[in-house]
Each structure stands twice: as C-alpha cells, then as structure tokens.
Amino acid sequence: MPTNFEVNGKPVSVTVEARTTLADCLRHHLRLTGTHVGCEHGVCGACTVIVDGYAVRSCLMLTAQAEGTKVTTVEGLSNDEALTPLQASFRKHHALQCGFCTPGMITTAHALLSEEPDCDADRVRDVLSGNLCRCTGYISIVEAVLDARSAYKKPA
Amino acid sequence: MKNAFIGSAIERREDLRFLRGRGEYVDDLKPDGLLYAVILRSSVAHGRIVSIDVSAALKIPGVHAVITAKDMPGGAPIVPMRLQPLPEFKPFEQPVIAHDKVRYVGEPLAVVIADSVAIGEDALEAIEIQIESLPAVADWHVAKRDQNLLFEGPGTNRSLTFNAVRGDADAAFVNAPYVRRETFRTGRHYGLTMEPRGVMAQWDAAKGLLTVSGAAKVPFFNRRILAKQIGLPEDSIEMIENDVGGGFGARGEFYPEDFLIPFAARQLNRPVKWIEDRRENLMAMNHAREAEVDVELACERDGTILALRGHAHVDMGAYMRTNGAVGARNIAQFMAGPYRIPNVKLDVSLWMTNKTPVGTYRGPGRFETDFFRERLLDLVAQDLGIDRVEFRRKNLVARSEMPYQIATISPYLHEDEYDSGDYQATLDRCLKEIGWSEKAKLAGRLIDGHYHGIAVGCFIEGGGAGPKETARLEINDDGSISVYIGSSAVGQGVETVFAQIAADALEIPLDRIRWVHHGSTTYVSDGYGAYHSRSVVMGGSALLDAANNFKAALSEEAAKRLGCDASEITIDEDKVSGAGKSLPLAAFAGLTREGAFLNKKHTYSYGAQAAHVAVDAKIGKVDILDYVVVQDAGRIINPLTLRGQVIGSLVQGLGGAFLENLVYDEQGQLLTGSLADYLLPTASDFPRLRAIVMDEHPSPINPLGAKGAGEGGMVGAGGVIANAVANALQSFNPDLRELPLTPTRVWEMTQKKA
Amino acid sequence: MKLPPLEYACPASLSEAVALLAAGGGDARAIAGGQSLMPMLAFRVVAPTLLVDLRKPPELKEIRISADGVRLGAMVRWRDIEDDARLAAAHPLLKAAVEHVAHYQIRNRGTVGGSIAHADPAAEMPGICVTCDAEIAVIGSAGSRVIRADDFFVGALTTALEHDEIITEIRLPAWPANRRWGFREFSRRRGDFAMAAAALFYDQDAGGSAVNAHVGVIGLGDRSRRLPEVEAALNSQVIDEALIERAAEITSATVDAQEDIHASAAYRRSLAGTMVERALRSAAA
C-alpha cells in the first residue's frame, strides 16, 4: 500500500517495505540525498527533517508514519539563486567543514528560529546538542545561528 | 593585478553545495543494477574458525552471493603497511577476511551481496558460524605475559619496540640532583567521522576498468595496494574521491573492505556498494590512543631539565594496520615536545591485543605524549617549588636554537629537527589572552561550590610529510582555469584554499579559478593525499610549482601567437597581452602544466594553550570557563578555515580529555557499541573556547612558508585540562594520572584525602 | 542497522489496536513516538513481526487538568508538556523533570506512554510516576485496569503490561498549593540519561514542618524507587541545612547502585545523595 505525504511542497506517493525508515525513503527512494544518515539510532541528528513544523529524526520514523504529513528537507530550505540568510550565515561564520552534519544543522536551526527568533545562545546550544558535528567544535555553528535570527523576526 | 587572496578570510566555495544538500557523498551514488554488501563480523574476540555455513543465507530471496575467504583464489590477501613498513611487522598484518582465526570483535568473516542492505542483514542472521573460543588478550598487561598468543609464528604479542635517543640519558640520571618518576595512562579513542566509511566498486569487463568510489586521504597509495591484491595493472583502476564526511586520520587508509567490495563487484560483474553503519564503524574503523607510560624526568634544582627517560606501552589491537605504528613512534619521538631536553631515552613497545586494530587519529601519539609530559612538568614544578610558567619558559627551545635537532627514532631510522619559531612568543601571548596573572589568584579556591583551577601548556605540531605532491593547472574552454591536485579533501576546505593559492600565483581574480579537482587518481600523474597536516604545505607548494610552469608555457605560446618576447607577456583577468595586442585565455584552452613539490623535512607549527576550569567536586563535574589556544602555523592561507581547524581539533581533544573512551571487557567485548555509550562532545559541552592564530614565523622549508595546522588544538588539550583540574583540586592532593577525566575519576580524586 | 522484517498497522481506534496486539500474540508490538523502540529495532535487539501505531486514537493525545490532578494521554509528547503553560502550576515537578528528557528532535516525537512502556531505569518519566504515586491506566483484551506506578515498573525495561495491553493514560494526583518540590539530575552530557537524579516533594503544615514527603531517585538500580528511610527522616521535621545533609547521607547509604561503563557504584551512591541534597535545598529555598 503506498504512503502518501508531501515533501518540500510536492505530493509524493511511495511504496516501500514497512520497515523502511523515513530517512532511507527520502534518500534512496525519493533520491533526496541532502538528508544524511550518520548513526541510524537517533543520536547524531544528521537525518533531521521537519515534519508538520517539528524538527524530527527521520531515522526514528517509519515511512508509513509520514502518511498525510508535510515533510521539509534541506533541499526544501534551499533555492538556486542564492543562499538563504541562514545558509549565508553558516558560510560567513565557517560553521561547516566536511558538510555531513550540515543538512541536519540547517533543518534544526530553521525549525528553532521559525518558532523562537529571539532565542539566546543557551537555547541554541541546548537545541543543537542533539546534532553531532565532529569538525567545527560548534562555536561557529552557534554564532551562525544567532547571527541568522534577524532574518526570522517578523517585521514590527 | 596584485592579489592578496592568501591571508584573507575567503568564504568557502564548497559551502555552496553542502549548505543546500547538494554534496555528493559515496552513499548518494546509485548506478543502475546496484547491489549492496553487508559484512558478517566476528562476535568473538579470539578464536579458531571451525566452520562457516552460508547455505541458508543463500536461499533468502534477494541474496546474490555470500563471499568468504574460501572464495579467494590464493587465499585472503594481506593489507600491507603504508608507513614504517618494517619486516618485524609483517607477521602481524591483517588479512582482508578472517580464514583461520578471528582476533577481534568486528573482524570480517563473510560478505553478503544482496538487493538491499536490509535483506543483507536478514541474511547475516542465517549464516551458521562455529568458532572455538580462545582466551582473550584484553590489554597490554595480559599481552606481555605472552601466555596467549594472537599470532603463533612470532612467538610473542609484542610486534616491536621503538627507541628514541638524544644524548646520554642514563648518564644524566646518575648524577641528577632531582628525579621524578610517574605512570600515566590515556583512554582508547577513535577518529569517528560523521559520515561512516563507504566503498562502491564498478567493474567494466569490456574495458577492463575497475572504478572505486569513496576513496579518501591516500587514493594513489591505496590503488597500488588494490592493484596488487586483485591482480590488475594500476591504470586499470580509478579511485574516485567523492565528498568526504570527515577524515581525522582514520578514514581513507586501506581497510579490508577496500579489497572486499571491489572483489565482489568483479566476481558478480555488478556495481556493489558497502556503507559502514555506525555499529560497524565503532568496531571496524581504526582505534587509537590507548597507552601507558612509566616516565621519569631529571632536573637541576633550579628547574633546568637534564634528561627524560622511560618506557611506554601501546595497545595496538589485533593487527598492524597501514599506519598503525605512527602513534607509538610519535610518543617516543615527541615526548620532549617544544622543550630543550638534551638527553632523551624512550622506548615504546607495541602490544597486540584482541581489540580493533589501531591507526592514526588526529595528532597521533602527540595527544598522549603531551598529556604525559605536561602533567609531569606540573608535578615537577610543584616539587621543586618553581612557578610552572617559569619552569616552562626556562626550558622552551629558544628561537636562536632553530633548527633544533630532536631525538632520533629507530628502527626505521629517522632524524628530525624543528624548523622555525619563537615558542616563548606564543606562550607569552597565551598567558596574556587568558589573563594569567589575575586568574592565577583563583587557583584552588572554592567559590560558590566550585574549585577554580588554571593551567598552561606548550605544544608542537608536525606537518607536511613528504615525499612529494603533484598539481596541475589547465585552461578550460571558457578561458577559466582548473586546478588538479593530488591532495585529498576531507572537509578541510581545500577547494577554497587551493583556489586562493592559484589565483595569487597566476595574478588573476579568484572566480577565474573555476574548479579545483582533488584526490581522485584520474587528475594528476601521482598524488599523495591528506595526512600529517600536509595538504596545504605539500599540495600548495606543488601548486606554486605548477603555476610557474604554467605561466612559462602560456607566455611562450602567447609570445609566439602575439609575435613578441615571452618576457613581455602579461596575464590579466581573462586575457593574455603582449606587444599591444591581446588574446582571450579561451584561445589557449587545453593548455596544461604539472608541477610538484618534494620535501624530506617536516614543518613544525607550535603554540600554547591555557584553561580556566571550575570543578563541582561533589559530582565530579568540570566546567571550562575559558580556554585559549595560540598557534603559530607559519604563513596563513585562510584565517577563517585555520581558526576552524584549531577550534575543531581542540574540541576533539576535549572529547578525549573528558568523554571519549572505547571500553572493552576481559573477554574482548566492546562495551561502547553505540553513540549513546561512546560520547562525543556536543554543542552544550564546551561553549567558551578561543583560538588565536599567528604567522610570525613562516616555515623556511617550503615556498609558501606554510605549516600544518590541523592537529595543534587537539595535541595540547589533554595535558592542559588535566593540569587545570589538578590545580583546582590541589587541596585534595589529587592523584591525576589517567584520562579521560570522567565524573567518577574527578570525584574519586576528592575522596581519598577529604 | 536496518529494521528486521515487519508489518505495520495504524488502527483508527483503541479497540482495533488491542485486537491487533492480541492477534499478534507476543510478536506484535505497539509503537508510540518510536524514539526508544526504533533504535532497538535498528540494533535488532527486538524483532516484532507487527508494529501497531497508536497515533490515530484521539483520546490518547490530551492533557487534562482538574481538581483530581493531571491526566496525560499516553501519546502526549514531551513537547506538548513543554508548551502547556498550565502545567507550571498544575505539576511543576513534572515540568521540571521533562526539561531533562533527551534532545529537541526526540522531544518533538517522544511520548510519555512510550517512555514508561520502555521503562529505562535512568529515564525521568518513570521516576516521576513512581515518586508521585501515579496511576497507569491501560486497556487490553481483558478490559481496562489501573496499575499503581510502583507495581507497573517491574525492573529494567520490564513492566506489568500484558502483550495485548496499551497504556492509555498516566494519572498524576493533584498538586496542592503548599507543596514544595525539587528536581536535580546529572548526566554526562545535556540530554543523556541520568547518572542519577532526584525527584522529591513534601507538603508544609501550619507549623512549617514537612509532611507527606516523597523522595524518588532515578538512574540507580533496575528502576526508579522512592526512599522510605529518607522520607521518614523528613516527615514532621522543619527542613533545615542539617536535615538536608542528613537526607543526603541516608540516601547514599540506602540506594542500590550499580557500576557500569559510565560510573562506579560508589560514585553513583554519592551522586544520588548530592542530587537529593540539592533538590531538597531548592525545595526548601
């Protein structure tokens, strides 16, 4: 039985084995390879996607559990013309090196800033503590997220 | 035009794809007809293989093959050592798949090829395997008894002892007025990369071409190994470097899977991909760091160091892997660090145990040996009643002593010298940045339930290993320039850095350097890759040579066409001019020149680190209130990426100081088999870290003046943290001789004399 | 680390879900948020043949607050507790404990029912249930029943649930206005399971003495437990610094601690005492 949901604004219908995680479905069936898989047991955060507005680990979700939801991946938070303000801030602060954890950082930070554009450094660190990065040491990532807050604030 | 891209904080070009989810890592590849490999690994640490029955697994729909050692004509090939390939190590090298014995939990026993990874894993459960267990050699203390041998042939579990010698240490100890002897230990870590390893192989029978994707670090060397093992000429194999999710010394060495997957692809004549999962990664990727040392220091009463002597023991795991000896060797050669120690005698023994084999991990041997040394220095300074800063200052190698000869290591005789620098200057800068004189007043004080402590340490970082690197420049059809280079990218930003170097060398705008192609064996005639903080030093210098050759060839060709002398030719943006005329660069499309850099010496960047910690003694929790790394890495190409290297490696070092440890039980079972147990630093652990990079002393041994900079942050972290915690807990007279500083260990230090 | 072969069902009602679990015998398993179950499936330490997703029955998602106390539907997520401003007054201890649960992404899917069904000895929610005398409402083929938290948690990863039973609700007794409480936890890193945590409360009588003291510890032994010796020492006493230190000593002396790769047993006993001490101090402040 196919599972129907929306990915990055477009409806999809996929037929996969029941045991297929949402992460594997996105990567290997829908070929959205921006979502990365780093541990498959819910620790590293590289596979973070946004489901109905909430950042979640797509390795801890069955594809079937996405039925009827709206899923956003890093590809859905990107465009061809230019980097988004969040992405540009990551670049400016050198908040990525090998790039493997980066999609999960972007999706997580986007979900956070969309809800809490006024969050402070402690909150950013608290939220990002669920995303492992082995290259940067995190200092630059936290700076990048804080610097991107202004882009998420609603005009007064 | 005069450029100054070198030295500028240029934003990285590779970020544009990584930030949009458009990187292409090996698991992102999916050619038609792809099959998936899954590896059956030993669950027994030490045993004799009685039988492997794959018949039930082969009956599972979707399973194409199950490969064991029996399927390999001539037996399972052995993975040779890449660095220090001494004859003594030969008996301890690893077969690509176990055939008679298993020697660690995680050793490959069989490879399942299936339509999906999930089906492959189903098949693993159907393979019947009988192993007759042997007593496990769980650590070096057990290994040295030589009662249970991993390898019968050599008759011992000790594969080698390195010796580092300078002067006459024994003589110096005889008359020394002061001697202190201590034992220290470090935990077992590994260069965990966020992207686990992966190999994809495609065999084109018609062309006789084997294409291997997922290559990293040293693709040219690995091609040589694979060609020999699989019986193909080197030029019938292409190693393709995709985007690589972290290296840290561990990824890209030749591992068993680097043979098994190409072998399977050729057997089945189908593309085969293997992606390591995290559970495998913890037991299959090279381990590192676990060492113990019995070391003594001899001094004058005024604190002048006379001699260093001792014996270290390294837990090598089950096999000597490609670069497995490097860490042990470095413990011997670099224990003196940046200090003037006229007499050194250090032995380092390498013990085989029933654990995952060891390889390099960022700052191999240096993290360990810097902890041993810096901790010992603080203990000695305390004994002698000398200020620990003055003690270090007194003994640092002076600028006037450069180049400075260090201990000679044997076997695999190697002499080395520090190239340049002012070690005092980085120490002074570090003390100033941390506010040492003010903070020193807090030492040992209890404020709001926290004991405060500070510490400072000095380090050196070797880089720029030779022998050679190769680069090539080529004009594209649109007149832009491409760089082709043997250096590999493992996340350190080589595309940006090499574009900066090339643009400056050619005196053209940065965006005229269209592509930087790196790593893969298809780009240059020979390449050596990314290890030992060498990419910028070696690759960058090769690129300068290529740029000179390229400019000469372009000038000569342009002079012919423009009818002038080559010396009159100028390159300007997208055109070449001379004699009042010009031609677009596109008119020279295809023009290409290679260059190389050869070097037998090493660069030594250096610096100092200082920490201010607060310890909640009742629960054993340590907060870092401030941490400063000052590093002079010679000529800085890109301060943005350099600072990234320093902070990134520092946090890995802090992981080793506090969190990371691969724990085994007495049966050789790995107890830290998930990321819930092998603890990496997270965003909330170390929020207050600072990196200051200096470029006062360029390296004299390469045309760029650059030095390696990927390891310094990490190298000093263990020693500085240990001393800061000991300083905080001084009222307890803490017994601090072992890392990591888990809450239990910190708490125990406060109990004995409380 | 792919999941074992399995089927998936997503029934619209609780009765259908119970029927599916019953028909599956021991081989069917309920999945709530999946934040504990999915990793176990990935490591293949469990291999059910059918997963019964509980996300559809609407009655499992509510947080109900009344004079009787707080009722958490089994599918209430950590995130829902964070977002519910009423709980700051209705059950501040719950709110404080839940702040320590896992990470942002996990909190967006993990559920209270899933957590207590998993019964990790170092998890916060079972500790809150035990400390607060919660009742666990379940439904199964044999009908509905209510299990006292102390009876519900049998041991590490083991509960009193039958294979065809589903947790429907966690009932936390009402929180009186004069109640004082504290929660302290220490873990290796932010979001990790507790090496030790203390959850406690007591009510203050007119004379300022503690009554009805409840002191629970998390992360020690095979399940969270209350410490009757500590509670006895606190009841009818004015909580002062000397008593707080005494409570810590009794805790360290009486808790059942085990050694593992993260901590020694002696350290854990001491840590439990310190957590009780600090939680009590914040309660009394």
Side-chain angles (χ1 to χ4, degrees):
Chain A
M1 203 176 73
T3 303
N4 299 294
F5 53 108
E6 212 176 83
V7 178
N8 299 330
K10 293 187 191 110
V12 296
S13 180
V14 292
T15 303
V16 295
E17 277 193 295
R19 58 169 151 176
T20 309
T21 63
L22 178 59
D24 280 346
C25 175
L26 290 167
R27 289 181 49 75
H28 301 303
H29 297 271
L30 297 169
R31 299 294 291 145
L32 290 166
T33 55
T35 298
H36 293 161
V37 170
C39 75
E40 296 181 280
H41 57 283
V43 181
C44 82
C47 69
T48 303
V49 300
I50 301 170
V51 176
D52 289 339
Y54 295 107
V56 303
R57 304 198 191 285
S58 60
C59 76
L60 295 189
M61 208 175 145
L62 295 166
T63 305
Q65 291 180 301
E67 172 78 35
T69 65
K70 291 183 166 68
V71 177
T72 305
T73 70
V74 67
E75 290 92 343
L77 298 177
S78 308
N79 55 61
D80 287 337
E81 295 76 50
L83 295 180
T84 65
L86 178 62
Q87 290 165 336
S89 186
F90 266 63
R91 190 176 186 221
K92 176 180 152 195
H93 290 275
H94 188 37
L96 64 156
Q97 290 181 29
C98 81
F100 196 77
C101 74
T102 307
M105 292 288 179
I106 292 286
T107 47
T108 304
H110 177 79
L112 170 66
L113 295 180
S114 299
E115 286 187 299
E116 303 174 39
D118 297 311
C119 57
D120 62 12
D122 280 349
R123 176 62 176 158
V124 171
R125 289 188 172 278
D126 177 28
V127 167
L128 292 183
S129 67
N131 292 65
L132 297 177
C133 168
R134 193 60 158 161
C135 298
T136 64
Y138 305 103
I139 302 283
S140 58
I141 296 177
V142 174
E143 285 169 356
V145 174
L146 290 171
D147 201 13
R149 285 177 301 184
S150 55
Y152 286 82
K153 285 177 187 159
K154 295 197 176 66
Chain B
M1 66 188 282
K2 280 274 172 266
N3 281 341
F5 295 119
I6 291 179
S8 299
I10 305 286
E11 292 184 1
R12 301 198 322 168
R13 45 176 67 195
E14 39 278 79
D15 293 357
L16 297 173
R17 62 177 189 278
F18 292 151
L19 283 161
R20 290 189 265 205
R22 294 174 189 172
E24 192 174 70
Y25 302 82
V26 60
D27 192 31
D28 299 342
L29 307 174
K30 195 179 182 184
D32 289 342
L34 181 63
L35 296 176
Y36 299 84
V38 173
I39 295 170
L40 178 71
R41 296 179 184 278
S42 178
S43 58
V44 174
H46 196 194
R48 243 170 254 295
I49 300 168
V50 178
S51 64
I52 303 176
D53 181 357
V54 303
S55 53
L58 282 168
K59 290 189 189 119
I60 294 174
V63 172
H64 291 253
V66 182
I67 296 167
T68 66
K70 290 202 175 99
D71 298 301
M72 289 165 201
I78 304 290
V79 181
M81 291 186 71
R82 179 171 71 81
L83 301 173
Q84 293 99 29
L86 292 161
E88 292 92 326
F89 291 136
K90 273 279 161 210
F92 302 96
E93 289 174 344
Q94 182 170 8
V96 296
I97 195 160
H99 51 90
D100 55 347
K101 273 183 92 174
V102 290
R103 295 186 176 89
Y104 65 96
V105 168
E107 182 163 6
L109 284 162
V111 186
V112 175
I113 309 295
D115 282 334
S116 73
V117 176
I119 293 170
E121 289 185 20
D122 299 344
L124 293 186
E125 296 175 354
I127 297 175
E128 298 275 341
I129 187 146
Q130 273 191 294
I131 295 177
E132 178 201 326
S133 281
L134 295 168
V137 176
D139 59 37
W140 80 267
H141 293 277
V142 179
K144 77 164 189 272
R145 288 183 218 137
D146 277 340
Q147 281 170 347
N148 300 304
L149 297 177
L150 272 80
F151 301 84
E152 281 78 13
T156 173
N157 288 320
R158 186 177 58 85
S159 65
L160 190 78
T161 296
F162 281 116
N163 319 107
V165 174
R166 187 180 199 267
D168 187 346
D170 288 340
F173 268 89
V174 171
N175 298 315
Y178 169 86
V179 170
R180 179 147 184 172
R181 183 171 176 176
E182 290 291 339
T183 300
F184 301 108
R185 278 178 298 278
T186 47
R188 194 174 188 88
H189 312 160
Y190 85 116
L192 183 156
T193 52
M194 287 320 300
E195 181 202 15
R197 293 178 300 135
V199 181
M200 190 181 79
Q202 292 167 278
W203 171 242
D204 184 333
K207 286 189 199 158
L209 182 68
L210 180 66
T211 306
V212 182
S213 302
K217 189 179 180 180
V218 285
F220 286 87
F221 190 88
N222 290 352
R223 180 169 68 170
R224 279 199 282 284
I225 299 178
L226 180 59
K228 213 167 161 185
Q229 288 181 341
I230 211 163
L232 285 170
E234 277 184 46
D235 59 9
S236 294
I237 302 175
E238 287 184 351
M239 308 289 281
I240 306 299
E241 181 182 281
N242 309 90
D243 282 325
V244 172
F248 316 127
R251 184 206 295 278
E253 290 297 327
F254 199 98
Y255 284 88
E257 299 84 1
D258 292 288
F259 170 83
L260 295 173
I261 306 310
F263 178 80
R266 207 169 160 209
Q267 289 284 102
L268 289 151
N269 201 17
R270 292 270 297 268
V272 174
K273 183 165 78 175
W274 168 74
I275 299 297
E276 184 178 54
D277 66 35
R278 187 58 70 187
R279 175 173 44 182
E280 289 183 287
N281 178 256
L282 281 147
M283 59 174 101
M285 202 175 208
N286 288 339
H287 286 184
R289 297 268 194 266
E290 188 175 7
E292 182 172 324
V293 69
D294 171 8
V295 62
E296 51 187 335
L297 194 72
C299 294
E300 298 284 5
R301 285 277 158 199
D302 70 356
T304 304
I305 298 176
L306 298 172
L308 175 70
R309 183 168 68 175
H311 197 154
H313 304 274
V314 178
D315 187 321
M316 297 303 298
Y319 294 100
M320 290 303 304
R321 278 192 176 166
T322 52
N323 60 8
V326 173
R329 174 203 174 287
N330 285 356
I331 288 176
Q333 194 168 27
F334 297 107
M335 199 177 287
Y339 302 99
R340 183 191 314 104
I341 303 185
N343 302 292
V344 175
K345 183 184 171 196
L346 286 162
D347 297 332
V348 179
S349 294
L350 287 69
W351 296 100
M352 310 313 291
T353 62
N354 290 118
K355 299 180 188 171
T356 297
V358 157
T360 62
Y361 171 32
R362 204 173 196 171
R366 301 172 200 277
F367 175 90
E368 301 90 302
T369 214
D370 271 40
F371 162 60
F372 303 153
R373 179 191 67 242
E374 294 294 329
R375 184 75 196 108
L376 185 58
L377 291 184
D378 262 24
L379 290 169
V380 168
Q382 196 183 341
D383 258 4
L384 292 174
I386 300 174
D387 177 80
R388 53 204 159 127
V389 173
E390 290 316 311
F391 182 41
R392 285 178 171 80
R393 213 191 288 282
K394 187 181 197 71
N395 290 291
L396 279 176
V397 173
R399 191 180 164 184
S400 58
E401 295 171 272
M402 296 292 173
Y404 180 81
Q405 183 81 26
I406 59 168
T408 298
I409 190 99
S410 63
Y412 213 70
L413 190 72
H414 184 76
E415 295 182 349
D416 208 348
E417 61 187 29
Y418 298 157
D419 55 342
S420 67
D422 184 349
Y423 298 173
Q424 303 274 358
T426 47
L427 174 59
D428 288 341
R429 179 76 187 273
C430 186
L431 294 169
K432 182 167 170 259
E433 291 291 339
I434 195 101
W436 184 268
S437 49
E438 278 306 301
K439 292 233 172 85
K441 294 171 192 159
L442 298 173
R445 281 182 57 193
L446 179 62
I447 302 165
D448 292 337
H450 290 77
Y451 292 92
H452 286 247
I454 58 165
V456 66
C458 303
F459 66 91
I460 49 130
E461 173 192 342
K468 189 186 170 190
E469 195 52 271
T470 314
R472 184 163 66 81
L473 290 162
E474 182 171 324
I475 303 181
N476 303 318
D477 288 343
D478 65 358
S480 65
I481 309 284
S482 283
V483 173
Y484 296 84
I485 198 147
S487 306
S488 290
V490 287
Q492 74 281 52
V494 299
E495 290 169 33
T496 305
V497 165
F498 288 137
Q500 289 176 255
I501 295 170
D504 269 10
L506 299 176
E507 298 181 71
I508 59 173
L510 195 57
D511 60 9
R512 303 297 304 165
I513 308 295
R514 186 81 181 87
W515 303 107
V516 177
H517 301 281
H518 48 78
S520 301
T521 56
T522 48
Y523 297 137
V524 290
S525 57
D526 199 4
Y528 289 82
Y531 58 98
H532 194 248
S533 296
R534 70 186 299 280
S535 290
V536 168
V537 173
M538 296 300 297
S541 298
L543 186 52
L544 287 186
D545 187 51
N548 286 335
N549 296 340
F550 176 87
K551 274 195 290 190
L554 179 60
S555 298
E556 196 178 322
E557 182 62 27
K560 252 188 256 171
R561 294 199 207 172
L562 293 169
C564 64
D565 193 84
S567 63
E568 294 170 56
I569 296 293
T570 58
I571 308 168
D572 186 22
E573 298 235 356
D574 55 352
K575 60 182 190 292
V576 189
S577 309
K581 293 176 285 184
S582 61
L583 282 166
L585 270 176
F588 299 87
L591 187 132
T592 183
R593 282 297 180 276
E594 205 163 271
F597 181 64
L598 291 104
N599 183 21
K600 283 185 180 164
K601 293 181 169 179
H602 294 151
T603 64
Y604 284 92
S605 67
Y606 58 92
Q609 310 190 358
H612 173 198
V613 302
V615 184
D616 184 342
K618 287 195 86 171
I619 64 173
K621 180 170 184 280
V622 180
D623 287 322
I624 296 177
L625 302 183
D626 195 8
Y627 201 117
V628 178
V629 179
V630 176
Q631 181 162 0
D632 191 320
R635 184 124 175 249
I636 296 170
I637 312 299
N638 188 330
L640 195 62
T641 61
L642 178 58
R643 264 197 296 274
Q645 287 294 312
V646 176
I647 292 288
S649 81
L650 171 60
V651 171
Q652 287 187 344
L654 296 173
F658 288 116
L659 294 164
E660 298 179 40
N661 203 10
L662 291 153
V663 182
Y664 282 84
D665 70 9
E666 287 174 7
Q667 281 73 48
Q669 291 295 326
L670 178 65
L671 302 180
T672 45
S674 80
L675 291 191
D677 294 312
Y678 186 76
L679 306 179
L680 299 180
T682 73
S684 44
D685 291 322
F686 309 116
R688 288 171 291 271
L689 312 173
R690 296 187 280 152
I692 290 150
V693 294
M694 294 167 64
D695 58 355
E696 305 288 317
H697 294 275
S699 176
I701 62 171
N702 67 71
L704 270 176
K707 297 182 177 186
E711 301 175 346
M714 178 154 209
V715 164
V720 169
I721 285 298
N723 281 332
V725 170
N727 182 248
L729 299 178
Q730 56 187 262
S731 56
F732 300 96
N733 192 15
D735 182 11
L736 198 169
R737 293 153 216 275
E738 185 168 1
L739 297 178
L741 290 171
T742 61
T744 298
R745 283 205 179 116
V746 173
W747 173 79
E748 281 170 351
M749 285 186 261
T750 67
Q751 294 305 300
K752 287 178 188 157
K753 296 169 186 84
Chain C
M1 293 178 71
K2 305 304 177 194
L3 278 52
L6 48 78
E7 298 293 317
Y8 169 85
C10 191
S13 71
L14 269 176
S15 54
E16 281 175 70
V18 168
L20 284 164
L21 288 175
D27 294 330
R29 198 156 173 161
I31 181 167
Q35 305 299 285
S36 303
L37 183 56
M38 288 290 282
M40 294 175 77
L41 290 165
F43 279 100
R44 298 200 183 198
V45 293
V46 292
T49 54
L50 174 68
L51 288 180
V52 179
D53 193 342
L54 300 178
R55 73 192 163 98
K56 282 191 180 160
E59 62 268 41
L60 299 184
K61 293 177 187 164
E62 272 181 66
I63 300 176
R64 286 184 290 167
I65 299 170
S66 70
D68 293 339
V70 174
R71 294 183 171 212
L72 303 170
M75 291 294 285
V76 165
R77 305 169 307 160
W78 310 115
R79 175 60 187 260
D80 300 322
I81 293 173
E82 266 180 274
D83 287 351
D84 194 323
R86 300 172 302 166
L87 285 170
H91 212 295
L93 178 58
L94 169 70
K95 194 116 177 157
V98 165
E99 285 178 14
H100 292 264
V101 177
H103 300 105
Y104 185 64
Q105 297 96 327
I106 301 273
R107 298 154 71 82
N108 283 336
R109 273 190 78 72
T111 65
V112 293
S115 172
I116 66 166
H118 183 58
D120 191 299
E124 292 81 2
M125 196 64 207
I128 292 299
C129 290
V130 168
T131 304
C132 297
D133 299 326
E135 292 178 330
I136 318 296
V138 307
I139 186 169
S141 306
S144 299
R145 61 178 179 136
V146 174
I147 310 169
R148 293 171 55 239
D150 198 43
D151 299 327
F152 181 85
F153 298 102
V154 176
L157 309 186
T158 312
T159 69
L161 272 186
E162 299 294 334
H163 72 81
D164 64 347
E165 284 184 320
I166 293 168
I167 299 162
T168 54
E169 197 170 75
I170 298 170
R171 298 173 184 169
L172 295 162
W175 190 267
N178 63 338
R179 181 161 287 177
R180 292 185 164 269
W181 62 276
F183 186 88
R184 282 293 183 277
E185 173 174 326
F186 182 51
S187 55
R188 292 287 302 269
R189 302 169 303 176
R190 169 79 188 85
D192 283 346
F193 279 113
M195 287 209 286
L200 56 84
F201 65 82
Y202 58 86
D203 299 330
Q204 241 173 345
D205 68 14
S209 295
V211 292
N212 190 33
H214 282 56
V215 178
V217 287
I218 296 166
L220 297 117
D222 63 345
R223 45 159 287 193
S224 287
R225 282 179 206 284
R226 282 172 60 184
L227 301 176
E229 296 89 344
V230 179
E231 293 170 357
L234 298 177
N235 280 328
S236 314
Q237 305 291 321
V238 174
I239 310 289
D240 59 15
E241 193 55 31
L243 187 54
I244 289 172
E245 281 172 26
R246 170 131 181 76
E249 280 163 26
I250 301 172
T251 301
S252 297
T254 54
V255 289
D256 169 28
Q258 70 293 337
E259 168 149 17
D260 66 15
I261 56 169
H262 296 300
S264 71
Y267 168 76
R268 272 216 167 81
R269 274 193 294 275
S270 166
L271 181 65
T274 304
M275 293 296 102
V276 166
E277 175 187 327
R278 291 179 182 183
L280 257 183
R281 200 169 282 135
S282 92

